[in-house]
Each structure stands twice: as structure tokens, then as C-alpha cells.
Amino acid sequence: MLTVSAIKADVGSIGGHTRPSKRMMEASRAELSGAVERGLILDFDVTHCGDDICLLMIHGKGSDNPEVHNFAWDVFTVATAIAQEDGLYGAGQDLLKDAPSGNVRGAGPGAAEISFDETAKERPAEPFLIFTADKCGPGAFNFPLWTVFTSPLFNAGLMLPKMKPGFRFTVIDMEHAGADRIIELESPEQHIDLAILLRDENRFGIKAIYSRLYPEQQVGAVSTDRLHTIAGEYKGKDDPVCIVRTQGIFPAPEEVVSPYFTAHFVAGDARGSHHMPIMPAPINTAITSAYCIPLVACMAYSVTKDGKLSEGVDVFGNPVWDATRLKAQGKADEMRRQGFVGPAMLPTQELEYSAFRTVLAELDAQFRIVER
Ligand code: 13P
Ligand code: MG
Ligand code: MG
């Protein structure tokens, strides 16, 4: 059994919510190298998307492993100490508890994990994609994952024998605190039920996707924790990570990234309070745009049967995505020209987790009833 763990957190950034410092990145790398040397993990990569550090770890310990999760927490603690020392903004922002009880889920960092049998004959090679997104929530992956795994309009590969039987989705209610409240739905039969839930990206997210032809084979995973569900107040955006295994019995990478041409609108942006298009960006991009347009990065990797990771390919760091970036910027410009009005800002119940709660409450107290 091999496990791909992608654990992501914002523990401080330079000059606002831009990016972690080089010192934080180097220290995180050094920690992961040490973990390989002492046999905790088999291989790793460390990247950032905006101000979030993503620890990609390959290991043999399974999903939700306390040792691996506690280790990830320790790495973020080391990076936090550097951020504090260097006076960076939001040091330790996503570390919401004193220490996790063996699992970072519910403690602040986002975790996406997939475990698989590396000897399974239907997977002679193991290519996969890691999507990291900043200034948005886990629901940002609802549109691209629904389209790729249910709609031949975006993924003609769904018409092939290995994918035609469809996929099983685990959808989670992200407003539910504590234990996971989940539902399982199967495409193609229930793809409309899936759409009914996934249209509400603030509440419902895709936690996992499995093949129906090979029911043990998990193809997708998304970190679906929402910081406000944990903390009860706005603590930065949830900035998710998503793993998608590709090729053969699964969609090809070129199919998986196809919905990102849309630069779809997501909940996020400045103060996590707006609807803005998500821009595919090269890995390790800082957030520097007007407002802070949500970014998504995508790295492609291969892993050997003994857990050795290839170098990563920066999928969106390529001129083919330039037109989409300009489109996203154009859509962002249009949306923000109407400032705070209507769809430009999130619905009130989302803003209620932020300091907007206070100003809304102040005004609410001033309303009076006038008899007609
Ligand atoms: P992050 O969640 O990326 O820290 O962003 C928070 C924010 O409010 C930016 O305006
Ligand atoms: Mg931040
Ligand atoms: Mg962030």
C-alpha cells in the first residue's frame, strides 16, 4: 500500500497574504528530507500556491496516519516560528488548535490523501495531479470535478469502456462541525443529485471519488475542512488541495484540467468575501493582483512502486494557459466594477463568519417596525 498525502496550510506570508518566505520553504524541505532519512516517509515535494505551503508526502503508512499528520503539524510549527521571527503576516494563521490529536483534519491545515495498492494490475504506472488553490474554499473544486467525472462534454474519455461504468462520489456537508456528515452518490445515474448538492459550493464539497469498475480504487480526494466550521469565525479562506490520479482506468491529465479553461467563479478573494474567477497559475506564484484573484496551481507527478517521486511538471506554468489567465483577469475586472453589490459579494450567511457580523448586527439593532 502506498499513500499520497498532500497537507497544506498558511502559516505566514510576506507583506500581506502573498507567499511564504524562502526561509520557511527551505526549512520545510529540510524537515521532509529528515523524515525520508529516518524512514517516516518515502519521498516528498514542497510547493506553495499564494501564501499556502503544500507538503506532498509519499509513504506506506496509510491515510489519516497519526505519525504522518503529527509530523506535518510539526513542519508547519517550524515554519510558523520562522514567520514569527521574521515578523511575517499571519504567522501560524491556520494552526487553530494547540496540537492535533493525531489528525490535522479539524485542526486547521487541509489534507487530501489517497492510498492504493501499488501492485494492482490495472495500474501499471501511477501518474497523478496535485491541485493547490489559494483565496478560495474546497467548493472551488466542485465544478471541475463534477464536469470531468460526469460530463462527456468536458471529458470524452467517459465514453470508453473503463470509465463508462462511472464513479462513486463521497460528498461532505462542510457546515457540519465535528464528525463528518457525508452522502455517497453514483454517476452517471445520480449526476443530477450530485449537481443539486454541488451547486452550493459553500456548504457541500467532494471529499472523495472512486472508480465503479474497480471499487477499491480511489481516483480523487479534496481537503474539505472549512476553517470557520472549526473556529466559528473567519480565519482566512480554506485554500484547498486536491489529488487526482490519472490515465488508464481514470481520466487523462489533459481531460482533468480541461474545465479550468472556464476560469469559473468561486467564493473567495479579498477577505474571503467575494465571487471571483479562479486563475490557473504557475506553481509557487505569489498573490499580488488587485483584490486577490483566486489562484489554482497544478503539478503532475509520477511515483514508482517503491514510492520514489519523479520531478514535478508545472501544468499551468505554460503559455497555453495565458489566454485563460487574461480571460480570468477580464472576468475579475467585470465583477469588481460592481464593487460590493449583488453577486460581487458572498451571501450574508457566509459573511456572518467574518467581522461583517459585527457591522451587520449594529445596523440590525437600528431597524424599527412602522405600522401601516
Ligand atoms: P488567506 O486565507 O490566503 O490567508 O487569505 C485571507 C484573506 O482574507 C485575503 O484577503
Ligand atoms: Mg494568509
Ligand atoms: Mg492562503
Side-chain angles (χ1 to χ4, degrees):
M1 185 73 79
L2 273 186
T3 301
V4 179
S5 296
I7 305 188
K8 183 165 177 287
D10 174 351
V11 290
S13 45
I14 303 170
H17 295 278
T18 61
R19 66 163 170 81
S21 67
K22 295 199 169 90
R23 234 185 116 207
M24 290 164 72
M25 295 295 289
E26 276 155 23
S28 305
R29 255 178 196 284
E31 292 292 322
L32 271 73
S33 286
V36 172
E37 271 162 39
R38 59 178 192 276
L40 175 65
I41 59 173
L42 298 165
D43 211 345
F44 72 90
D45 197 10
V46 181
T47 56
H48 73 84
C49 176
D51 59 6
D52 311 312
I53 298 177
C54 180
L55 312 176
L56 170 63
M57 296 175 282
I58 310 294
H59 57 93
K61 298 191 180 295
S63 301
D64 290 317
N65 178 268
E67 266 186 282
V68 172
H69 279 239
N70 282 334
F71 167 67
W73 183 273
D74 292 344
V75 177
F76 291 131
T77 310
V78 168
T80 296
I82 295 172
Q84 272 161 348
E85 210 176 283
D86 293 345
L88 302 191
Y89 187 72
Q93 177 181 289
D94 286 358
L95 305 186
L96 300 182
K97 304 236 159 117
D98 288 340
S101 50
N103 195 318
V104 295
R105 288 192 55 229
E113 299 184 292
I114 299 185
S115 297
F116 53 87
D117 174 4
E118 71 281 12
T119 64
K121 61 176 183 340
E122 66 272 18
R123 296 294 291 168
E126 193 52 57
F128 64 94
L129 301 171
I130 302 287
F131 291 90
T132 46
D134 190 28
K135 310 298 182 252
C136 60
F141 291 117
N142 287 9
F143 168 74
L145 291 177
W146 184 90
T147 52
V148 166
F149 287 93
T150 74
S151 170
L153 277 178
F154 285 81
N155 177 8
L158 293 176
M159 296 186 281
L160 298 173
K162 285 178 180 155
M163 277 188 277
K164 198 165 161 279
F167 296 90
R168 189 173 84 250
F169 290 72
T170 308
V171 172
I172 184 166
D173 178 352
M174 298 184 288
E175 289 292 316
H176 190 265
D180 291 349
R181 182 168 184 263
I182 59 164
I183 182 173
E184 293 198 325
L185 295 169
E186 293 188 327
S187 68
E189 297 90 322
Q190 295 176 296
H191 75 289
I192 299 293
D193 288 326
L194 204 51
I196 290 168
L197 295 178
L198 298 184
R199 57 154 292 284
D200 186 352
E201 65 162 296
N202 293 316
R203 176 157 181 198
F204 298 107
I206 297 167
K207 185 169 155 34
I209 308 174
Y210 294 83
S211 162
R212 284 175 76 188
L213 188 60
Y214 299 95
E216 298 303 309
Q217 290 285 9
Q218 184 176 353
V219 53
V222 182
S223 62
T224 44
D225 277 325
R226 300 217 49 204
L227 299 177
H228 74 57
T229 312
I230 301 168
E233 59 181 305
Y234 182 67
K235 288 281 182 188
K237 223 38 193 171
D238 314 290
D239 300 343
V241 53
C242 167
I243 307 172
V244 182
R245 295 165 72 201
T246 58
Q247 300 286 21
I249 60 172
F250 301 141
E254 55 273 32
E255 291 163 340
V256 179
V257 298
S258 65
Y260 292 91
F261 262 177
T262 309
H264 59 293
F265 286 103
V266 300
D269 192 56
R271 302 180 194 281
S273 303
H274 299 266
H275 284 125
M276 284 281 265
I278 192 160
M279 180 186 283
I283 196 72
N284 302 331
T285 298
I287 299 279
T288 59
S289 75
Y291 306 101
C292 40
I293 189 166
L295 296 187
V296 58
C298 176
M299 291 290 280
Y301 299 93
S302 284
V303 62
T304 64
K305 299 204 181 298
D306 51 5
K308 281 288 146 211
L309 199 58
S310 66
E311 62 201 68
V313 170
D314 181 358
V315 176
F316 294 149
N318 184 296
V320 294
W321 293 94
D322 286 351
T324 309
R325 284 191 262 277
L326 284 176
K327 176 165 72 178
Q329 191 60 30
K331 288 176 75 164
D333 186 353
E334 281 305 318
M335 185 61 104
R336 294 311 297 260
R337 272 173 203 277
Q338 70 177 64
F340 59 89
V341 177
M345 278 191 97
L346 296 191
T348 306
Q349 68 266 29
E350 273 295 305
L351 298 177
E352 272 175 356
Y353 293 102
S354 73
F356 276 100
R357 174 165 50 187
T358 317
V359 286
L360 278 170
E362 278 167 14
L363 288 174
D364 196 57
Q366 294 171 42
F367 272 85
R368 58 199 170 88
I369 306 285
V370 180
E371 297 299 338
R372 279 177 284 184

